[in-house]
Amino acid sequence: MKKIFCTLLFLASFFVIKAQSKISSPDGKLEVSVSVIEGKPVYNVFYNGKLFIEKSPLGMKTNIGDFTSGLTLETDVKESKIDENYELPNIKQSKVHYQANQAIFSLTKEGKRAIDVIFRVSNNNVGFKYKVQPQNETFSCVVQEEASGFILPQGSTTFLSAQSDAMVGYARTMPSYEIPYILDAAMGENGRGNGYTFPCLFKLKDNKGWILLSETGVDSQYCASRLLGNSNGLYTVGFPMVGENNSNGTTSPGITLPGETPWRTITIGETLAPIVETTIPFDLVKPKYEASQEYQFTKGSWSWIMKMDNNTTFPVQKEYIDFSNAMGYQTILVDALWDTQIGKEKIEELAKYGATKGVGLYLWYNSNGYWNDAPQGPKGMMNTSFIRRKEMEWMKSIGIKGIKVDFFGGDKQVTMQLYEEILADANDFGIMVIFHGCTLPRGWERMYPNYASSEAVLASENLHFGQGSCDNEALNATIHPFVRNTVGSMDFGGSALNKFYNSDNIPNKGSKRITSDVFALATAVLFQSGVQHFALAPNNLTDAPHWAIDFMKKVPTTWDEVRYLGGYPGKYVLMARRKGDKWYVAGVNAQKETLKIKVKLAMFNPGTQVQQFTDDTQLKGSVKTVKIKKNQEIELSIPNNGGVLIVN
């Protein structure tokens, strides 16, 4: 009898073990455990043996079945290794060697295969998505709700941007990912009642580590999501709000079966380095179509940020073509109202003139349709395929380089379809695309080869609109490199050298920039976007320091490598980016006290001579040549609202 009991105990232990499966990163430091507890699938995440994500829910509810409970984890786990190289010119690291371990966990319900949960684990990164299987010869479904959640350890603090109400703000164009971040806040809140926009940053108690949550691979086959705050450290994936897109379109994505969801991503580090340097948004996706040509990621100028709507005129845009030419830039951005204040014939003339100067045009368009009341034109062109394609055919005929499409205000599947259709049509005509008043890009740099950048941030226009934004410029600049800009290109449109935000840099007219010129240059390095239209103005050729203009002429917009050197969201940031064999070390300080810090610059060999741009206590900038010491350390002093740059 005793022997039989022991045998049964052994078998029971065997099945308990098999009900829980694990997958680790290639370096073995990051581990994900998947199990089913009382019919409910859960997972947790450890790094270096420390718990980062507690047992958190998996699964989904659909119109063909509830796949959140009553489930069984199959013992047959399909495992594979991912090892690939890819190149992208317009992300933080141009050449990526992606290595990961993948496991497919199959869940059954009532004896039938229901959903697969696919986990990919690379060093410091976890991605997971679902594959929904056909049920009873049903080959389509609507996903009503995802149970996908993340339970953070108690005592963690948050660095989050709340999701706004739908159909509010300027011309009822929100949500557009433009709510200020609340830093180091306690868990247990839900933003302003609508959750939070991705990406979402968390710090574990006692500085034990950092977690960045986001998603990637969102296209026309699904909706974009937000993060909903719950009690006890639980955050769950939430679909768009009913009121988005003027309450038109479903909040629940529909998929064909078998069909897959986008990836949910988790980046983990004991410091902020893995978060700043992660390429997970691009590692997990593939190109949706081939590029119709080789696209050029460029820098340019932009009149609107200083001169506003009334100066979208032929003479002013011609002046900016000359200015871009003088700076060695390849484009200008012609903003809203060009259709009425310039007209198509004169746009053609501008394009011809720009071509003689080596300067191409980006043109602004309203996304239009039933989802915003924005009056600016051109209107009624980007939301209808045959009209859009006719307009793009005209643009191609006159050599337009790109478009900036504004005012989307929603994350529903129907909106994701519009984004993808605009990009795909534009590719047919060799046109690049910038989105404004828009959602976060989710792996789009790799998915869509003509994708240039997205706003999805409280960007430079707010510096013009109010002094409060200028007063907080340094604070925000120390947040974006750790959160928003870690996962995708950010079209901020900054690096102003005007002291005042007005058309002629006239003192005491409009909002006043309180950050230094070195700070402005540093953000050109800190803020990553393959295409940049800087907030410079023609008057800067004579009223800005020559060293500042010289730097802005040379600064790249595409990079080969990024390294985190130090910082804390809302306090300061120090980063390095490489272009070819040239390194750019940049930092800014938002703290009231001067930041005094020693930094090891391992990218420079001892004895290397570098240019160092620094600010004094009055924020007056200067440039000097220094030699890197044997220990490669350098002592930096950055005043409040100031910056530093070191370039070899």
Side-chain angles (χ1 to χ4, degrees):
M1 186 68 183
K2 184 175 180 182
K3 183 177 179 182
I4 294 172
F5 175 78
C6 291
T7 302
L8 290 174
L9 182 63
F10 170 77
L11 290 172
S13 301
F14 176 82
F15 285 117
V16 168
I17 292 169
K18 282 296 185 180
Q20 176 173 303
S21 298
K22 297 180 180 180
I23 178 174
S24 300
S25 57
D27 65 6
K29 294 181 179 180
L30 187 60
E31 182 180 88
V32 176
S33 175
V34 179
S35 58
V36 170
I37 301 175
E38 297 181 349
K40 297 182 178 181
V42 296
Y43 75 102
N44 53 17
V45 181
F46 295 84
Y47 185 78
N48 270 343
K50 293 185 294 187
L51 182 65
F52 273 71
I53 302 287
E54 298 182 7
K55 279 192 170 63
S56 300
L58 294 167
M60 60 172 61
K61 293 181 179 179
T62 77
N63 65 346
I64 62 168
D66 180 350
F67 306 132
T68 64
S69 62
L71 299 172
T72 301
L73 178 64
E74 292 291 283
T75 57
D76 181 21
V77 177
K78 295 181 176 63
E79 298 184 45
S80 58
K81 294 185 182 296
I82 310 295
D83 192 329
E84 67 175 25
N85 294 281
Y86 66 91
E87 295 185 18
L88 279 180
N90 55 328
I91 63 171
K92 64 181 77 171
Q93 184 175 326
S94 63
K95 295 181 180 180
V96 180
H97 183 199
Y98 175 52
Q99 294 178 297
N101 292 323
Q102 177 171 293
I104 301 175
F105 302 96
S106 294
L107 297 165
T108 60
K109 186 165 188 175
E110 297 174 354
K112 295 179 182 178
R113 190 174 172 193
I115 59 173
D116 298 330
V117 188
I118 304 170
F119 271 91
R120 287 254 195 107
V121 184
S122 57
N123 297 343
N124 297 101
N125 297 283
V126 176
F128 69 88
K129 66 178 178 179
Y130 302 101
K131 186 172 184 178
V132 187
Q133 300 297 332
Q135 301 294 305
N136 299 322
E137 297 186 358
T138 300
F139 293 95
S140 62
C141 81
V142 173
V143 182
Q144 299 162 332
E145 179 186 339
E146 276 195 36
S148 309
F150 314 87
I151 298 181
L152 282 299
Q154 289 300 310
S156 299
T157 55
T158 71
F159 301 74
L160 303 174
S161 171
Q163 176 76 295
S164 73
D165 289 335
M167 302 300 291
V168 298
Y170 175 74
R172 300 196 306 160
T173 57
M174 297 179 82
S176 47
Y177 291 47
E178 295 182 14
I179 302 298
Y181 284 86
I182 304 298
L183 306 178
D184 257 328
M187 296 189 298
E189 299 296 325
N190 191 34
R192 300 179 177 184
N194 302 318
Y196 303 96
T197 60
F198 284 122
C200 299
L201 182 65
F202 301 85
K203 185 186 74 171
L204 270 61
K205 187 179 179 181
D206 299 327
N207 292 313
K208 289 183 178 178
W210 296 83
I211 300 171
L212 185 76
L213 303 179
S214 194
E215 62 179 3
T216 191
V218 178
D219 59 14
S220 62
Q221 305 304 302
Y222 216 75
C223 63
S225 302
R226 56 199 161 116
L227 196 67
L228 303 178
N230 302 270
S231 59
N232 300 319
L234 171 64
Y235 292 84
T236 53
V237 170
F239 290 158
M241 299 173 287
V242 172
E244 293 179 32
N245 297 95
N246 214 359
S247 297
N248 195 62
T250 177
T251 62
S252 302
I255 57 176
T256 57
L257 303 182
E260 297 181 355
T261 69
W263 292 92
R264 313 302 174 203
T265 64
I266 308 167
T267 301
I268 284 174
E270 293 176 323
T271 71
L272 282 161
I275 287 166
V276 170
E277 298 169 12
T278 184
T279 56
I280 193 67
F282 321 109
D283 297 338
L284 295 173
V285 301
K286 299 289 186 185
K288 302 287 288 184
Y289 51 73
E290 291 185 7
S292 63
Q293 64 180 52
E294 185 177 347
Y295 290 103
Q296 301 298 317
F297 295 89
T298 59
K299 52 187 173 182
S301 63
W302 175 39
S303 70
W304 185 89
I305 183 61
M306 292 300 168
K307 298 179 180 290
M308 295 280 110
D309 287 345
N310 291 339
N311 284 291
T312 306
T313 60
F314 183 88
V316 171
Q317 301 312 305
K318 190 174 181 181
E319 179 187 16
Y320 269 75
I321 288 174
D322 291 337
F323 175 51
S324 275
N325 173 255
M327 294 294 294
Y329 293 175
Q330 299 82 21
T331 57
I332 67 164
L333 170 59
V334 184
D335 220 288
L337 303 173
W338 63 262
D339 57 326
T340 54
Q341 296 179 177
I342 298 176
K344 280 193 169 182
E345 283 189 15
K346 298 297 279 184
I347 284 289
E348 291 182 20
E349 188 177 329
L350 271 178
K352 287 179 182 177
Y353 179 73
T356 67
K357 301 281 187 173
V359 177
L361 275 55
Y362 273 71
L363 299 180
W364 185 96
Y365 285 85
N366 195 326
S367 76
N368 266 93
Y370 48 79
W371 48 83
N372 77 65
D373 302 324
Q376 293 91 339
K379 298 175 65 177
M381 292 183 177
M382 289 296 123
N383 58 311
T384 305
S385 179
F386 65 88
I387 298 174
R388 179 172 63 236
R389 290 183 67 84
K390 185 177 180 181
E391 187 76 358
M392 290 176 174
E393 184 178 22
W394 166 73
M395 284 188 263
K396 181 179 180 180
S397 72
I398 65 170
I400 299 301
K401 301 298 182 186
I403 54 176
K404 171 184 170 182
V405 190
D406 209 340
F407 302 134
F408 286 86
D411 275 335
K412 294 178 178 178
Q413 187 172 9
V414 66
T415 319
M416 298 303 111
Q417 290 168 347
L418 180 62
Y419 282 119
E420 187 169 270
E421 288 167 1
I422 291 172
L423 285 159
D425 282 350
N427 181 60
D428 287 345
F429 296 97
I431 294 168
M432 300 188 74
V433 182
I434 298 170
F435 293 120
H436 257 235
C438 59
T439 193
L440 178 78
R442 293 160 162 92
W444 292 358
E445 289 89 337
R446 192 176 184 195
M447 294 162 66
Y448 307 108
N450 58 321
Y451 168 77
S453 192
S454 293
E455 186 184 27
V457 71
L458 209 56
S460 64
E461 61 197 46
N462 296 282
L463 301 171
H464 188 120
F465 293 150
Q467 187 59 43
S469 291
C470 286
D471 294 343
N472 287 317
E473 184 181 9
L475 172 74
N476 288 318
T478 63
I479 299 171
H480 303 321
F482 299 120
V483 192
R484 162 65 181 89
N485 209 189
T486 61
V487 299
S489 297
M490 184 177 75
D491 190 41
F492 191 86
S495 297
L497 289 174
N498 272 18
K499 289 297 181 185
F500 295 89
Y501 278 86
N502 62 67
S503 60
D504 298 304
N505 205 14
I506 298 170
N508 303 315
K509 180 182 176 184
S511 55
K512 179 183 179 181
R513 181 168 62 91
I514 65 170
T515 55
S516 72
D517 290 336
V518 178
F519 176 101
L521 308 190
T523 57
V525 176
L526 294 172
F527 295 171
Q528 186 272 321
S529 179
V531 171
Q532 293 255 36
H533 289 100
F534 295 115
L536 303 174
N539 52 272
N540 296 148
L541 292 170
T542 55
D543 63 14
H546 68 87
W547 48 262
I549 288 295
D550 287 346
F551 179 86
M552 290 304 297
K553 286 180 178 180
K554 297 171 185 175
V555 64
T557 61
T558 59
W559 304 97
D560 296 314
E561 187 180 350
V562 62
R563 291 189 196 175
Y564 163 81
L565 298 178
Y568 193 94
K571 295 182 179 181
Y572 75 98
V573 58
L574 284 167
M575 289 169 56
R577 295 193 192 274
R578 178 177 62 83
K579 178 70 172 182
D581 58 1
K582 199 176 186 69
W583 280 96
Y584 294 74
V585 176
V588 296
N589 179 30
Q591 300 168 105
K592 289 183 179 179
E593 64 276 10
T594 295
L595 174 67
K596 294 183 182 294
I597 188 171
K598 284 184 179 180
V599 182
K600 181 161 184 161
L601 302 180
M603 68 286 299
F604 299 127
N605 292 326
T608 301
Q609 287 195 330
V610 296
Q611 272 193 315
Q612 184 174 346
F613 300 69
T614 55
D615 285 316
D616 63 17
T617 56
Q618 304 302 309
L619 296 184
K620 183 178 179 181
S622 62
V623 187
K624 63 181 179 180
T625 300
V626 298
K627 187 179 285 188
I628 299 297
K629 297 177 182 177
K630 238 179 209 183
N631 63 5
Q632 297 172 296
E633 276 191 353
I634 191 166
E635 189 167 341
L636 301 177
S637 177
I638 313 175
N640 173 232
N641 293 316
V644 68
L645 273 167
I646 300 170
V647 185
N648 65 330

